[in-house]
Amino acid sequence: RGLNYSTDTGRTWLLYNNSNGLISNDVSAISSIGERLWVATNHTVDFEGSPVSYSDGVSFTDDMGGTWQQVRFDLLTPPINQVFGGGGFRTIYDITGANNRLFFAAFAGGFLSSADGGVTWRRLFASKADSVNFSDFYGGLTGTLSLRNEFFSCVADTSHGDSFFVWAGTAAGIMQFVFVVPEQKFYSRQVKALAISPDSN
């Protein structure tokens, strides 16, 4: 039915819905990251006699709901497919983030991330095999989407001073994504000198 909010610590409640800013009334996830509020909405479409949830993507407000901006993943350059609209199972169930990083779990739409506050996006995979499975499934080459590619929850963990963790719930269990600053990544370390003895094992 929309998103309830209060401006007087809960004494009275107001409502945002499709009449005053949201794309639709079915809200599946919300998250406040910094001064920005992110909201995922969906709408229901009748498909072969059964109601199916279609994703509206995410919308955000920087002025406490005065204005809203929708992120249309199908219209980005390049587009991020399988997140917006058509077909069920693309519902965005959770949003998390910290600082300028943003993540959301779009069930069979995958796990998406933005490192610049929502300007550009990319899909994250826990392994190369998961990436291949996702591509093959939506390309019609395989009939089964791996359970590791079905995301329904996520949370940012900022308790580690030297790295940034994101925990993500999938139909196959919990995944942990670890982000470290570039100068601490293994590939950026310089080897100053290397000696190999020909008679050593």
Side-chain angles (χ1 to χ4, degrees):
R1 301 293 184 195
L3 177 66
N4 293 103
Y5 69 100
S6 175
T7 58
D8 57 8
T9 63
R11 288 189 293 274
T12 59
W13 288 88
L14 303 169
L15 179 69
Y16 284 121
N17 56 27
N18 63 1
S19 69
N20 60 356
L22 295 183
I23 303 301
S24 61
N25 294 338
D26 294 342
V27 175
S28 57
I30 60 173
S31 183
S32 175
I33 302 168
E35 298 295 318
R36 179 170 287 181
L37 178 68
W38 291 90
V39 179
T41 58
N42 309 274
H43 62 280
T44 301
V45 174
D46 186 71
F47 180 74
E48 297 180 355
S50 299
V52 177
S53 172
Y54 273 46
S55 172
D56 298 318
V58 292
S59 299
F60 64 86
T61 179
D62 293 320
D63 56 8
M64 297 176 58
T67 57
W68 292 87
Q69 183 173 334
Q70 181 188 27
V71 178
R72 286 284 306 263
F73 294 94
D74 57 331
L75 300 179
L76 296 177
T77 305
I80 307 248
N81 298 319
Q82 317 306 334
V83 176
F84 185 87
F89 313 115
R90 299 181 186 180
T91 301
I92 298 169
Y93 284 117
D94 207 357
I95 303 171
T96 190
N99 302 325
N100 222 23
R101 289 188 176 273
L102 182 68
F103 304 85
F104 68 80
F107 199 65
F111 191 52
L112 276 83
S113 172
S114 173
D116 53 17
V119 177
T120 58
W121 295 85
R122 68 181 183 133
R123 189 174 274 114
L124 301 179
F125 295 98
S127 72
K128 182 178 179 180
D130 292 326
S131 176
V132 171
N133 170 260
F134 191 90
S135 177
D136 285 353
F137 176 75
Y138 284 109
L141 300 178
T142 183
T144 304
L145 182 64
S146 168
L147 297 179
R148 289 165 53 106
N149 280 328
E150 298 177 1
F151 290 85
F152 58 84
S153 64
C154 54
V155 63
D157 178 1
T158 60
S159 64
H160 308 274
D162 60 346
S163 56
F164 181 88
F165 289 15
V166 176
W167 298 89
T170 75
I174 297 174
M175 301 289 178
Q176 180 193 53
F177 294 85
V178 180
F179 301 86
V180 297
V181 294
E183 60 268 18
Q184 293 178 338
K185 291 184 178 180
F186 293 128
Y187 67 76
S188 67
R189 298 295 178 91
Q190 296 183 6
V191 177
K192 301 295 184 184
L194 180 64
I196 298 176
S197 172
D199 59 352
S200 72
N201 293 321

